[in-house]
Structure formats: structure tokens, C-alpha cells
Amino acid sequence: EDEEESEASILRKELEELKAKHKDLDEAHTQLLLRYEQLEQNLVNAKLASVPQGDTSSAHQDDTSEDVQSKYTAEQVYIARLAFEKYDMDGNGTIDRYELRQILNELRKNGVLNMSDKLFERYVDMNWRKIDADESGSIDFDEFLEFLYAASGPGNISLKLRSSDIITRLPKEQRLKEEAAAQK
């Protein structure tokens, strides 16, 4: 009986030590995550600072109309361009219905959109009709930019998309692409 109590005491002590180590590791992990997020934000800020604020034309590519350029800041165009390039999966300079579905599905997977499969398909259709303003069957950059920064209202997906991590993590993905290309 004394032996069992002694063994139980040793196990309790080991358990307390493990809990303390776990707590220390958890705190260190949290600190590392915060530092990582801070560095990532510094990188985004540095990228955005390199975009001339007075002359927004350098942040636009030739396919952006002057009318649309005048409505948005260089930062908005830069972020939209990164998102557009990410979701233009086939690289043809437009976003098709399948690619829009992928954007919305990513929001769904991230918990930003909570809906049934049937409702989701209707949601994709509804947003397609809204975004493809010229009914060309594809979304060009101007339409995407307008969609992304549209006035927010009830049910407006643009606000959800702008605030989701699929947009906020884009500058990091761009940096990784640039680093990979530089190594080649």
C-alpha cells in the first residue's frame, strides 16, 4: 500500500511537471505566433509603402480602366491584384465561374459562409450575376476590384471577403512566390 501511494505520488509529480512544461511550451508557441504575425504585417506594410501613394498608376496594370483607378487607393488595387492573380487559376486574365466558386468555397471552408450545398450553389449564381456586370461570361480585373470594394450592406460578400484571411494572407503568399522565383 505504501508502495502504491509512493508510485501515485511520483506520477502526480511527473504529471505536474508535464503540465508546467506544456504551459511553458504553449506560452512560447503563442509568443512565436504573435511575433510571426507582427513580422508578416511589417512585410505587408513595407510592400504597401513601396507603392507610390500619389501616383497610383504604378499599382495598376494596363487592364485597369482610368475610371476604376480613380476610385481606389494604390493599396486597395495592390491587394485586389494579388487576390485576382491568386484566383485566376488558369492565368487567362479573367476569373470564370469555377474560379469564383473556389473563392466562395474557401470562405465557406473558413467558416465565413455557413450554408447548405444547395443554398451555396444559389449564392454562387447570385454573386456571379452581380459581379459579371458586363455579362461577358468572365470577371475582369475592373469587375473584381469593384466587387471587392463594393459598398457594404447586409449580405454583401465583399466585406466578408476583404476581412477574411484569404485576402489578408495574400501578401505573404506573394512574398513566397517571389522568393521561390528568385531561387530558380
Side-chain angles (χ1 to χ4, degrees):
E1 201 170 292
D2 286 341
E3 195 174 301
E4 286 178 12
E5 283 182 36
S6 176
E7 190 175 324
S9 177
I10 291 170
L11 289 174
R12 277 193 291 276
K13 185 177 178 182
E14 285 180 23
L15 179 61
E16 290 304 314
E17 289 173 0
L18 287 173
K19 284 181 180 179
K21 285 181 183 179
H22 181 268
K23 183 180 178 186
D24 290 345
L25 287 172
D26 193 43
E27 288 174 7
H29 179 255
T30 300
Q31 291 300 317
L32 284 172
L33 285 176
L34 290 172
R35 180 68 180 137
Y36 174 79
E37 288 174 7
Q38 181 183 29
L39 290 171
E40 190 175 48
Q41 188 59 50
N42 289 345
L43 179 67
V44 169
N45 291 341
K47 281 255 190 199
L48 294 175
S50 71
V51 176
Q53 294 301 311
D55 176 20
T56 58
S57 62
S58 64
H60 303 273
Q61 296 200 359
D62 293 338
D63 63 342
T64 308
S65 71
E66 285 184 34
D67 180 47
V68 172
Q69 285 182 29
S70 66
K71 289 183 183 180
Y72 303 102
T73 67
E75 178 180 345
Q76 289 173 317
V77 174
Y78 174 76
I79 297 291
R81 176 65 64 193
L82 291 178
F84 187 82
E85 289 173 357
K86 175 183 180 182
Y87 291 104
D88 178 15
M89 295 173 201
D90 56 12
N92 69 352
T94 63
I95 292 178
D96 61 32
R97 189 182 207 87
Y98 172 78
E99 292 163 333
L100 175 66
R101 189 178 192 292
Q102 293 303 107
I103 294 170
L104 298 177
N105 197 42
E106 194 166 337
L107 287 173
R108 192 174 173 205
K109 286 179 185 175
N110 291 344
V112 176
L113 297 175
N114 296 315
M115 55 187 65
S116 68
D117 289 343
K118 186 175 182 178
L119 186 56
F120 178 73
E121 292 307 321
R122 288 194 345 219
Y123 192 74
V124 171
D125 291 340
M126 177 186 72
N127 278 285
W128 179 261
R129 286 190 301 274
K130 273 195 237 177
I131 302 167
D132 184 21
D134 64 2
E135 298 179 358
S136 64
S138 62
I139 299 169
D140 62 25
F141 181 70
D142 283 0
E143 289 171 322
F144 184 78
L145 185 63
E146 292 279 343
F147 157 68
L148 190 60
Y149 293 105
S152 300
N156 190 320
I157 189 61
S158 62
L159 178 62
K160 292 177 183 179
L161 180 60
R162 285 195 315 269
S163 62
S164 75
D165 77 324
I166 66 173
I167 295 297
T168 56
R169 74 172 182 250
L170 286 169
K172 174 186 168 203
E173 291 175 357
Q174 181 66 24
R175 177 182 50 84
L176 294 174
K177 278 184 192 175
E178 289 169 2
E179 288 173 0
Q183 290 177 357
K184 288 181 180 180

